[in-house]
Amino acid sequence: MIGQFGWLLGASILLAAGTGMLQLDAAARGKRRAAAIGLLAAGSLGALLGAFSPLVLGVGVAAAALTALSIGQRVEMTGFFAGAVTMLAVLAAALQLLLPAGAHVLVWPLLLLAGISALLILTPNGAALPAVRATIAIAAVLLIGMMASQAYGFFVLMGPTLPAIIAPFVALAVLALAPLLWLLKGSAWVGTASLVAGLILSAVAGIEGRAPSAASPEMVEVFYLADIDARTNYWVSSKLDPSGWVKTAMEQDGDTVRRESMEPLLPEPPLVANAKPAAFVRPVLNLAILGDGAARRVGIRAINANGGRYMRIFVKPSVAIPRPTLAGRRLPGTLPAGKWSQLTFHASGTEAVELTLPTVGQRGWIDVRLVEVRDGWPAGAKALTKPANILPFRRADTSMIVARSAVTW
């Protein structure tokens, strides 16, 4: 679906814009029940398509509830717009407190929309005046340009896996056009046509995405994993591909593909197949109790041993560990009890990474996994030619060498 970026972007814009225009028409006509049922149906349908998604269902229920609360009898444009801008101001204030670095996403649109709201309040029936309409149109164009630049960056980052990320930006753009669309006869038909066009583009993206090509390849990964202390070796991948290349690569040592948990190394159970042992050296992973009394702490020393490009350390303590120390510098936060925490170091070569953790309580334990990640499969692995319609990504063509250790006090 990443290869269908253009179709997805157009479909998302049309779907969000069409929904916004239909919502405006429902507000102008007081069609609260129809609007709420429509949003609830959309959320339910989206949640059931493909794998069940409680997030999509929850968003649909929340949107339907907010619509039922905010749309009553027929309202005037000025009141509706002022209420929407007030709600945006509350959201902008909350975002300023919770995420100051991202508050500009709402603050700048708020300034333009507040100006439009003031213009509507100070000029009764102003939306019908050509001069007022022209002013609103100019402000709307500025806001749409602002939203387009912001939305594109977010869509590049998350769009292929979460197309709905574009919805807040389109909603603000439609809100800027609300005074012009409010009086537009046939806006419901325009919104419906936009929805239909968005669904058609979504279908096109789905159809085109089913057949990988050289121009739009399937993204695949197959990597080797050697758990030295557990004496297990696997070929690992996140998914199969239509051409069968991943399955062939994983079954090259005679085993069949299956799903198996690899916690904590991988959050979701991947596809695995047993592999022949490789001549990898165990990465250095030394744990020791340092000091006594209140100064007692656990020292972790990790070193790459196979020319790794980076290493990942997974730590699971029996008790919460506050503020670990890395190379003499305190790190913020606390390692939670009974859960795996991950630290990644881009430390190639043989330079040691030293981590110290304060011990808490009279008794406890810490379980540690070290993963050294190096480029290339092990020597002796089959060099399988990749077809033109697949593209390696993420951990593809790498080897992960795992060491285990634990300590108690």
Side-chain angles (χ1 to χ4, degrees):
M1 294 308 294
I2 293 175
Q4 310 308 315
F5 179 87
W7 294 114
L8 282 176
L9 179 59
S12 300
I13 292 173
L14 288 170
L15 288 171
T19 303
M21 284 187 279
L22 288 176
Q23 288 293 96
L24 284 178
D25 182 75
R29 300 173 183 271
K31 295 181 177 180
R32 173 172 57 185
R33 182 179 300 177
I37 292 175
L39 288 173
L40 183 60
S44 302
L45 179 62
L48 295 174
L49 288 174
F52 176 73
S53 174
L55 174 62
V56 175
L57 180 61
V59 170
V61 171
L66 286 173
T67 297
L69 291 172
S70 61
I71 297 179
Q73 301 299 320
R74 290 173 178 263
V75 296
E76 294 295 328
M77 175 65 233
T78 302
F80 173 86
F81 197 85
V85 173
T86 301
M87 183 176 180
L88 180 62
V90 173
L91 293 174
L95 193 60
Q96 181 66 49
L97 293 174
L98 300 175
L99 188 63
H104 67 279
V105 174
L106 293 182
V107 172
W108 285 110
L110 176 63
L111 294 177
L112 287 171
L113 292 173
I116 296 175
S117 183
L119 184 63
L120 293 173
I121 293 172
L122 296 174
T123 55
N125 299 319
L129 301 176
V132 174
R133 285 191 177 189
T135 304
I136 293 174
I138 293 172
V141 168
L142 291 174
L143 193 145
I144 290 171
M146 187 188 308
M147 291 299 95
S149 64
Q150 295 285 343
Y152 186 79
F154 277 91
F155 201 83
V156 167
L157 182 66
M158 303 175 64
T161 55
L162 186 65
I165 190 67
I166 206 171
F169 302 99
V170 179
L172 290 173
V174 172
L175 183 60
L177 293 170
L180 305 179
L181 295 173
W182 195 272
L183 300 177
L184 179 65
K185 292 182 179 180
S187 59
W189 289 105
V190 175
T192 302
S194 179
L195 275 179
V196 172
L199 290 172
I200 291 174
L201 288 186
S202 297
V204 171
I207 293 171
E208 291 290 327
R210 293 180 65 183
S213 64
S216 180
E218 177 89 1
M219 301 179 76
V220 301
E221 63 172 348
V222 176
F223 60 94
Y224 183 88
L225 189 147
D227 193 329
I228 303 297
D229 295 309
R231 297 183 179 181
T232 55
N233 304 276
Y234 299 103
W235 291 107
V236 186
S237 180
S238 55
K239 63 182 181 68
L240 300 176
D241 66 299
S243 69
W245 184 88
V246 170
K247 189 172 186 294
T248 300
M250 293 183 66
E251 295 180 349
Q252 62 179 281
D253 292 327
D255 195 20
T256 56
V257 174
R258 64 190 182 277
R259 272 198 193 277
E260 191 171 302
S261 175
M262 287 284 177
E263 191 181 6
L265 310 182
L266 301 170
E268 299 294 333
L271 295 171
V272 301
N274 291 336
K276 294 178 180 178
F280 287 131
V281 179
R282 181 184 185 274
V284 177
L285 178 61
N286 297 328
L287 275 64
I289 300 295
L290 308 174
D292 296 305
R296 185 179 60 189
R297 62 198 185 279
V298 174
I300 301 175
R301 188 169 182 265
I303 308 175
N304 284 329
N306 300 276
R309 180 160 43 90
Y310 65 93
M311 68 171 68
R312 297 161 67 191
I313 298 179
F314 297 85
V315 180
K316 182 169 74 171
S318 61
V319 294
I321 303 294
R323 302 196 66 185
T325 302
L326 172 64
R329 187 179 66 181
R330 285 287 183 91
L331 301 178
T334 299
L335 302 181
K339 296 182 179 180
W340 289 101
S341 299
Q342 178 185 168
L343 300 97
T344 301
F345 304 92
H346 291 270
S348 57
T350 57
E351 183 178 354
V353 171
E354 296 184 350
L355 185 69
T356 56
L357 311 174
T359 59
V360 178
Q362 293 296 320
R363 296 182 179 275
W365 51 263
I366 293 178
D367 197 1
V368 181
R369 301 283 191 278
L370 169 63
V371 181
E372 178 183 356
V373 183
R374 67 185 293 275
D375 293 324
W377 289 349
K382 294 180 181 178
L384 302 175
T385 303
K386 296 182 179 68
N389 62 354
I390 69 170
L391 180 71
F393 85 119
R394 206 160 52 182
R395 295 173 290 256
D397 303 331
T398 63
S399 296
M400 300 172 65
I401 305 97
V402 182
R404 304 172 177 226
S405 191
V407 68
T408 61
W409 64 87

PDB file of all heavy atoms in Angstrom, residues 376-407:
ATOM      1  N   GLY A 376      24.161  -8.494   6.324  1.00  0.00           N
ATOM      2  CA  GLY A 376      24.444  -9.730   5.611  1.00  0.00           C
ATOM      3  C   GLY A 376      23.975 -10.969   6.340  1.00  0.00           C
ATOM      4  O   GLY A 376      23.911 -11.012   7.574  1.00  0.00           O
ATOM      5  N   TRP A 377      23.613 -11.985   5.558  1.00  0.00           N
ATOM      6  CA  TRP A 377      23.302 -13.297   6.114  1.00  0.00           C
ATOM      7  C   TRP A 377      24.605 -14.019   6.439  1.00  0.00           C
ATOM      8  O   TRP A 377      25.689 -13.620   5.970  1.00  0.00           O
ATOM      9  CB  TRP A 377      22.501 -14.116   5.102  1.00  0.00           C
ATOM     10  CG  TRP A 377      21.095 -13.643   4.894  1.00  0.00           C
ATOM     11  CD1 TRP A 377      20.421 -12.735   5.637  1.00  0.00           C
ATOM     12  CD2 TRP A 377      20.196 -14.074   3.866  1.00  0.00           C
ATOM     13  NE1 TRP A 377      19.148 -12.569   5.150  1.00  0.00           N
ATOM     14  CE2 TRP A 377      18.979 -13.383   4.063  1.00  0.00           C
ATOM     15  CE3 TRP A 377      20.298 -14.979   2.803  1.00  0.00           C
ATOM     16  CZ2 TRP A 377      17.875 -13.555   3.237  1.00  0.00           C
ATOM     17  CZ3 TRP A 377      19.200 -15.163   1.986  1.00  0.00           C
ATOM     18  CH2 TRP A 377      18.001 -14.466   2.197  1.00  0.00           C
ATOM     19  N   PRO A 378      24.533 -15.082   7.225  1.00  0.00           N
ATOM     20  CA  PRO A 378      25.777 -15.798   7.563  1.00  0.00           C
ATOM     21  C   PRO A 378      26.384 -16.483   6.351  1.00  0.00           C
ATOM     22  O   PRO A 378      25.700 -16.775   5.358  1.00  0.00           O
ATOM     23  CB  PRO A 378      25.296 -16.821   8.600  1.00  0.00           C
ATOM     24  CG  PRO A 378      23.837 -16.994   8.342  1.00  0.00           C
ATOM     25  CD  PRO A 378      23.348 -15.660   7.879  1.00  0.00           C
ATOM     26  N   ALA A 379      27.663 -16.759   6.447  1.00  0.00           N
ATOM     27  CA  ALA A 379      28.357 -17.478   5.369  1.00  0.00           C
ATOM     28  C   ALA A 379      27.726 -18.857   5.189  1.00  0.00           C
ATOM     29  O   ALA A 379      27.381 -19.529   6.157  1.00  0.00           O
ATOM     30  CB  ALA A 379      29.839 -17.613   5.712  1.00  0.00           C
ATOM     31  N   GLY A 380      27.549 -19.246   3.944  1.00  0.00           N
ATOM     32  CA  GLY A 380      26.941 -20.536   3.653  1.00  0.00           C
ATOM     33  C   GLY A 380      25.473 -20.460   3.323  1.00  0.00           C
ATOM     34  O   GLY A 380      24.895 -21.426   2.816  1.00  0.00           O
ATOM     35  N   ALA A 381      24.818 -19.313   3.606  1.00  0.00           N
ATOM     36  CA  ALA A 381      23.404 -19.153   3.251  1.00  0.00           C
ATOM     37  C   ALA A 381      23.281 -19.021   1.742  1.00  0.00           C
ATOM     38  O   ALA A 381      24.178 -18.507   1.065  1.00  0.00           O
ATOM     39  CB  ALA A 381      22.819 -17.929   3.940  1.00  0.00           C
ATOM     40  N   LYS A 382      22.153 -19.491   1.218  1.00  0.00           N
ATOM     41  CA  LYS A 382      21.947 -19.445  -0.227  1.00  0.00           C
ATOM     42  C   LYS A 382      21.736 -18.010  -0.699  1.00  0.00           C
ATOM     43  O   LYS A 382      20.985 -17.255  -0.084  1.00  0.00           O
ATOM     44  CB  LYS A 382      20.732 -20.290  -0.604  1.00  0.00           C
ATOM     45  CG  LYS A 382      20.914 -21.781  -0.343  1.00  0.00           C
ATOM     46  CD  LYS A 382      19.675 -22.565  -0.742  1.00  0.00           C
ATOM     47  CE  LYS A 382      19.857 -24.059  -0.465  1.00  0.00           C
ATOM     48  NZ  LYS A 382      18.631 -24.828  -0.810  1.00  0.00           N
ATOM     49  N   ALA A 383      22.387 -17.646  -1.769  1.00  0.00           N
ATOM     50  CA  ALA A 383      22.226 -16.312  -2.366  1.00  0.00           C
ATOM     51  C   ALA A 383      21.063 -16.384  -3.364  1.00  0.00           C
ATOM     52  O   ALA A 383      21.259 -16.723  -4.532  1.00  0.00           O
ATOM     53  CB  ALA A 383      23.506 -15.860  -3.045  1.00  0.00           C
ATOM     54  N   LEU A 384      19.877 -16.093  -2.902  1.00  0.00           N
ATOM     55  CA  LEU A 384      18.680 -16.196  -3.736  1.00  0.00           C
ATOM     56  C   LEU A 384      18.443 -14.887  -4.477  1.00  0.00           C
ATOM     57  O   LEU A 384      18.404 -13.814  -3.863  1.00  0.00           O
ATOM     58  CB  LEU A 384      17.462 -16.525  -2.871  1.00  0.00           C
ATOM     59  CG  LEU A 384      17.570 -17.825  -2.055  1.00  0.00           C
ATOM     60  CD1 LEU A 384      16.356 -17.978  -1.149  1.00  0.00           C
ATOM     61  CD2 LEU A 384      17.708 -19.018  -2.985  1.00  0.00           C
ATOM     62  N   THR A 385      18.293 -14.957  -5.778  1.00  0.00           N
ATOM     63  CA  THR A 385      18.045 -13.759  -6.579  1.00  0.00           C
ATOM     64  C   THR A 385      16.642 -13.230  -6.309  1.00  0.00           C
ATOM     65  O   THR A 385      15.667 -13.979  -6.359  1.00  0.00           O
ATOM     66  CB  THR A 385      18.181 -14.075  -8.080  1.00  0.00           C
ATOM     67  OG1 THR A 385      19.495 -14.601  -8.314  1.00  0.00           O
ATOM     68  CG2 THR A 385      17.967 -12.824  -8.912  1.00  0.00           C
ATOM     69  N   LYS A 386      16.554 -11.947  -6.007  1.00  0.00           N
ATOM     70  CA  LYS A 386      15.252 -11.340  -5.729  1.00  0.00           C
ATOM     71  C   LYS A 386      14.580 -10.946  -7.041  1.00  0.00           C
ATOM     72  O   LYS A 386      15.211 -10.316  -7.902  1.00  0.00           O
ATOM     73  CB  LYS A 386      15.408 -10.096  -4.854  1.00  0.00           C
ATOM     74  CG  LYS A 386      15.959 -10.381  -3.459  1.00  0.00           C
ATOM     75  CD  LYS A 386      16.027  -9.099  -2.654  1.00  0.00           C
ATOM     76  CE  LYS A 386      16.544  -9.360  -1.250  1.00  0.00           C
ATOM     77  NZ  LYS A 386      17.949  -9.755  -1.227  1.00  0.00           N
ATOM     78  N   PRO A 387      13.296 -11.261  -7.208  1.00  0.00           N
ATOM     79  CA  PRO A 387      12.582 -10.802  -8.404  1.00  0.00           C
ATOM     80  C   PRO A 387      12.427  -9.289  -8.396  1.00  0.00           C
ATOM     81  O   PRO A 387      12.563  -8.636  -7.351  1.00  0.00           O
ATOM     82  CB  PRO A 387      11.224 -11.506  -8.303  1.00  0.00           C
ATOM     83  CG  PRO A 387      11.083 -11.880  -6.869  1.00  0.00           C
ATOM     84  CD  PRO A 387      12.461 -12.102  -6.348  1.00  0.00           C
ATOM     85  N   ALA A 388      12.110  -8.732  -9.538  1.00  0.00           N
ATOM     86  CA  ALA A 388      12.046  -7.269  -9.671  1.00  0.00           C
ATOM     87  C   ALA A 388      10.894  -6.653  -8.899  1.00  0.00           C
ATOM     88  O   ALA A 388      10.903  -5.452  -8.638  1.00  0.00           O
ATOM     89  CB  ALA A 388      11.926  -6.902 -11.157  1.00  0.00           C
ATOM     90  N   ASN A 389       9.878  -7.473  -8.539  1.00  0.00           N
ATOM     91  CA  ASN A 389       8.700  -6.899  -7.890  1.00  0.00           C
ATOM     92  C   ASN A 389       8.753  -6.970  -6.370  1.00  0.00           C
ATOM     93  O   ASN A 389       7.724  -6.808  -5.699  1.00  0.00           O
ATOM     94  CB  ASN A 389       7.424  -7.588  -8.388  1.00  0.00           C
ATOM     95  CG  ASN A 389       7.406  -9.078  -8.062  1.00  0.00           C
ATOM     96  OD1 ASN A 389       8.389  -9.614  -7.573  1.00  0.00           O
ATOM     97  ND2 ASN A 389       6.289  -9.722  -8.334  1.00  0.00           N
ATOM     98  N   ILE A 390       9.925  -7.229  -5.792  1.00  0.00           N
ATOM     99  CA  ILE A 390      10.057  -7.153  -4.339  1.00  0.00           C
ATOM    100  C   ILE A 390      11.221  -6.236  -3.984  1.00  0.00           C
ATOM    101  O   ILE A 390      12.158  -6.064  -4.764  1.00  0.00           O
ATOM    102  CB  ILE A 390      10.242  -8.537  -3.686  1.00  0.00           C
ATOM    103  CG1 ILE A 390      11.607  -9.127  -4.032  1.00  0.00           C
ATOM    104  CG2 ILE A 390       9.120  -9.486  -4.058  1.00  0.00           C
ATOM    105  CD1 ILE A 390      11.925 -10.357  -3.223  1.00  0.00           C
ATOM    106  N   LEU A 391      11.134  -5.643  -2.792  1.00  0.00           N
ATOM    107  CA  LEU A 391      12.140  -4.674  -2.350  1.00  0.00           C
ATOM    108  C   LEU A 391      12.460  -4.948  -0.885  1.00  0.00           C
ATOM    109  O   LEU A 391      11.560  -4.971  -0.044  1.00  0.00           O
ATOM    110  CB  LEU A 391      11.606  -3.251  -2.514  1.00  0.00           C
ATOM    111  CG  LEU A 391      12.536  -2.110  -2.089  1.00  0.00           C
ATOM    112  CD1 LEU A 391      13.685  -1.989  -3.071  1.00  0.00           C
ATOM    113  CD2 LEU A 391      11.766  -0.797  -2.022  1.00  0.00           C
ATOM    114  N   PRO A 392      13.734  -5.189  -0.534  1.00  0.00           N
ATOM    115  CA  PRO A 392      14.081  -5.435   0.871  1.00  0.00           C
ATOM    116  C   PRO A 392      13.934  -4.163   1.704  1.00  0.00           C
ATOM    117  O   PRO A 392      14.213  -3.062   1.230  1.00  0.00           O
ATOM    118  CB  PRO A 392      15.541  -5.881   0.797  1.00  0.00           C
ATOM    119  CG  PRO A 392      16.056  -5.316  -0.478  1.00  0.00           C
ATOM    120  CD  PRO A 392      14.899  -5.284  -1.427  1.00  0.00           C
ATOM    121  N   PHE A 393      13.488  -4.320   2.933  1.00  0.00           N
ATOM    122  CA  PHE A 393      13.352  -3.161   3.821  1.00  0.00           C
ATOM    123  C   PHE A 393      13.570  -3.593   5.264  1.00  0.00           C
ATOM    124  O   PHE A 393      13.654  -4.770   5.582  1.00  0.00           O
ATOM    125  CB  PHE A 393      11.975  -2.497   3.646  1.00  0.00           C
ATOM    126  CG  PHE A 393      10.865  -3.109   4.449  1.00  0.00           C
ATOM    127  CD1 PHE A 393      10.176  -2.359   5.400  1.00  0.00           C
ATOM    128  CD2 PHE A 393      10.489  -4.426   4.260  1.00  0.00           C
ATOM    129  CE1 PHE A 393       9.155  -2.927   6.143  1.00  0.00           C
ATOM    130  CE2 PHE A 393       9.450  -4.994   4.992  1.00  0.00           C
ATOM    131  CZ  PHE A 393       8.780  -4.240   5.942  1.00  0.00           C
ATOM    132  N   ARG A 394      13.684  -2.629   6.124  1.00  0.00           N
ATOM    133  CA  ARG A 394      13.826  -2.801   7.556  1.00  0.00           C
ATOM    134  C   ARG A 394      14.984  -3.735   7.894  1.00  0.00           C
ATOM    135  O   ARG A 394      16.130  -3.408   7.625  1.00  0.00           O
ATOM    136  CB  ARG A 394      12.505  -3.289   8.165  1.00  0.00           C
ATOM    137  CG  ARG A 394      12.336  -2.922   9.626  1.00  0.00           C
ATOM    138  CD  ARG A 394      10.906  -2.964  10.082  1.00  0.00           C
ATOM    139  NE  ARG A 394      10.235  -4.219   9.777  1.00  0.00           N
ATOM    140  CZ  ARG A 394       8.955  -4.457  10.064  1.00  0.00           C
ATOM    141  NH1 ARG A 394       8.238  -3.523  10.656  1.00  0.00           N
ATOM    142  NH2 ARG A 394       8.394  -5.610   9.758  1.00  0.00           N
ATOM    143  N   ARG A 395      14.718  -4.931   8.435  1.00  0.00           N
ATOM    144  CA  ARG A 395      15.801  -5.826   8.873  1.00  0.00           C
ATOM    145  C   ARG A 395      16.233  -6.807   7.785  1.00  0.00           C
ATOM    146  O   ARG A 395      16.939  -7.790   8.081  1.00  0.00           O
ATOM    147  CB  ARG A 395      15.338  -6.600  10.107  1.00  0.00           C
ATOM    148  CG  ARG A 395      15.078  -5.735  11.326  1.00  0.00           C
ATOM    149  CD  ARG A 395      14.473  -6.547  12.443  1.00  0.00           C
ATOM    150  NE  ARG A 395      13.113  -6.950  12.131  1.00  0.00           N
ATOM    151  CZ  ARG A 395      12.025  -6.392  12.663  1.00  0.00           C
ATOM    152  NH1 ARG A 395      12.156  -5.403  13.514  1.00  0.00           N
ATOM    153  NH2 ARG A 395      10.816  -6.816  12.335  1.00  0.00           N
ATOM    154  N   ALA A 396      15.823  -6.590   6.545  1.00  0.00           N
ATOM    155  CA  ALA A 396      16.148  -7.521   5.457  1.00  0.00           C
ATOM    156  C   ALA A 396      17.657  -7.658   5.288  1.00  0.00           C
ATOM    157  O   ALA A 396      18.412  -6.682   5.449  1.00  0.00           O
ATOM    158  CB  ALA A 396      15.523  -7.042   4.155  1.00  0.00           C
ATOM    159  N   ASP A 397      18.082  -8.876   4.973  1.00  0.00           N
ATOM    160  CA  ASP A 397      19.492  -9.164   4.657  1.00  0.00           C
ATOM    161  C   ASP A 397      20.426  -8.817   5.810  1.00  0.00           C
ATOM    162  O   ASP A 397      21.541  -8.328   5.597  1.00  0.00           O
ATOM    163  CB  ASP A 397      19.918  -8.414   3.389  1.00  0.00           C
ATOM    164  CG  ASP A 397      19.034  -8.746   2.195  1.00  0.00           C
ATOM    165  OD1 ASP A 397      18.502  -9.870   2.154  1.00  0.00           O
ATOM    166  OD2 ASP A 397      18.855  -7.877   1.324  1.00  0.00           O
ATOM    167  N   THR A 398      19.974  -9.040   7.029  1.00  0.00           N
ATOM    168  CA  THR A 398      20.834  -8.825   8.194  1.00  0.00           C
ATOM    169  C   THR A 398      20.856 -10.100   9.037  1.00  0.00           C
ATOM    170  O   THR A 398      20.075 -11.027   8.828  1.00  0.00           O
ATOM    171  CB  THR A 398      20.333  -7.659   9.075  1.00  0.00           C
ATOM    172  OG1 THR A 398      19.037  -7.981   9.610  1.00  0.00           O
ATOM    173  CG2 THR A 398      20.267  -6.367   8.283  1.00  0.00           C
ATOM    174  N   SER A 399      21.762 -10.130   9.995  1.00  0.00           N
ATOM    175  CA  SER A 399      21.834 -11.220  10.973  1.00  0.00           C
ATOM    176  C   SER A 399      21.781 -10.616  12.370  1.00  0.00           C
ATOM    177  O   SER A 399      22.435  -9.600  12.645  1.00  0.00           O
ATOM    178  CB  SER A 399      23.122 -12.024  10.801  1.00  0.00           C
ATOM    179  OG  SER A 399      23.160 -12.669   9.547  1.00  0.00           O
ATOM    180  N   MET A 400      21.004 -11.245  13.237  1.00  0.00           N
ATOM    181  CA  MET A 400      20.874 -10.798  14.622  1.00  0.00           C
ATOM    182  C   MET A 400      21.441 -11.892  15.521  1.00  0.00           C
ATOM    183  O   MET A 400      20.990 -13.044  15.460  1.00  0.00           O
ATOM    184  CB  MET A 400      19.412 -10.511  14.964  1.00  0.00           C
ATOM    185  CG  MET A 400      18.793  -9.426  14.101  1.00  0.00           C
ATOM    186  SD  MET A 400      16.992  -9.218  14.341  1.00  0.00           S
ATOM    187  CE  MET A 400      16.933  -8.657  16.028  1.00  0.00           C
ATOM    188  N   ILE A 401      22.425 -11.531  16.335  1.00  0.00           N
ATOM    189  CA  ILE A 401      23.071 -12.493  17.228  1.00  0.00           C
ATOM    190  C   ILE A 401      22.706 -12.115  18.659  1.00  0.00           C
ATOM    191  O   ILE A 401      22.942 -10.972  19.088  1.00  0.00           O
ATOM    192  CB  ILE A 401      24.601 -12.504  17.035  1.00  0.00           C
ATOM    193  CG1 ILE A 401      24.948 -12.774  15.568  1.00  0.00           C
ATOM    194  CG2 ILE A 401      25.231 -13.558  17.909  1.00  0.00           C
ATOM    195  CD1 ILE A 401      25.223 -11.546  14.742  1.00  0.00           C
ATOM    196  N   VAL A 402      22.112 -13.070  19.386  1.00  0.00           N
ATOM    197  CA  VAL A 402      21.538 -12.798  20.698  1.00  0.00           C
ATOM    198  C   VAL A 402      22.366 -13.447  21.791  1.00  0.00           C
ATOM    199  O   VAL A 402      22.808 -14.593  21.664  1.00  0.00           O
ATOM    200  CB  VAL A 402      20.086 -13.328  20.761  1.00  0.00           C
ATOM    201  CG1 VAL A 402      19.453 -13.002  22.123  1.00  0.00           C
ATOM    202  CG2 VAL A 402      19.258 -12.744  19.616  1.00  0.00           C
ATOM    203  N   ALA A 403      22.560 -12.704  22.883  1.00  0.00           N
ATOM    204  CA  ALA A 403      23.180 -13.228  24.096  1.00  0.00           C
ATOM    205  C   ALA A 403      22.227 -12.975  25.258  1.00  0.00           C
ATOM    206  O   ALA A 403      21.510 -11.963  25.275  1.00  0.00           O
ATOM    207  CB  ALA A 403      24.536 -12.584  24.347  1.00  0.00           C
ATOM    208  N   ARG A 404      22.217 -13.881  26.226  1.00  0.00           N
ATOM    209  CA  ARG A 404      21.334 -13.771  27.389  1.00  0.00           C
ATOM    210  C   ARG A 404      22.151 -13.761  28.671  1.00  0.00           C
ATOM    211  O   ARG A 404      23.202 -14.395  28.749  1.00  0.00           O
ATOM    212  CB  ARG A 404      20.348 -14.940  27.461  1.00  0.00           C
ATOM    213  CG  ARG A 404      19.476 -15.138  26.233  1.00  0.00           C
ATOM    214  CD  ARG A 404      18.683 -16.419  26.347  1.00  0.00           C
ATOM    215  NE  ARG A 404      17.781 -16.608  25.221  1.00  0.00           N
ATOM    216  CZ  ARG A 404      16.521 -16.970  25.337  1.00  0.00           C
ATOM    217  NH1 ARG A 404      16.006 -17.187  26.542  1.00  0.00           N
ATOM    218  NH2 ARG A 404      15.762 -17.128  24.267  1.00  0.00           N
ATOM    219  N   SER A 405      21.600 -13.091  29.690  1.00  0.00           N
ATOM    220  CA  SER A 405      22.239 -13.123  31.003  1.00  0.00           C
ATOM    221  C   SER A 405      21.237 -12.607  32.035  1.00  0.00           C
ATOM    222  O   SER A 405      20.228 -11.962  31.684  1.00  0.00           O
ATOM    223  CB  SER A 405      23.512 -12.271  31.029  1.00  0.00           C
ATOM    224  OG  SER A 405      24.232 -12.529  32.217  1.00  0.00           O
ATOM    225  N   ALA A 406      21.496 -12.911  33.299  1.00  0.00           N
ATOM    226  CA  ALA A 406      20.626 -12.472  34.381  1.00  0.00           C
ATOM    227  C   ALA A 406      21.463 -12.373  35.643  1.00  0.00           C
ATOM    228  O   ALA A 406      22.544 -12.977  35.765  1.00  0.00           O
ATOM    229  CB  ALA A 406      19.465 -13.434  34.572  1.00  0.00           C
ATOM    230  N   VAL A 407      20.949 -11.615  36.601  1.00  0.00           N
ATOM    231  CA  VAL A 407      21.643 -11.447  37.866  1.00  0.00           C
ATOM    232  C   VAL A 407      20.603 -11.256  38.972  1.00  0.00           C
ATOM    233  O   VAL A 407      19.521 -10.704  38.731  1.00  0.00           O
ATOM    234  CB  VAL A 407      22.614 -10.241  37.803  1.00  0.00           C
ATOM    235  CG1 VAL A 407      21.853  -8.920  37.700  1.00  0.00           C
ATOM    236  CG2 VAL A 407      23.540 -10.214  39.007  1.00  0.00           C
TER     237      VAL A 407
END
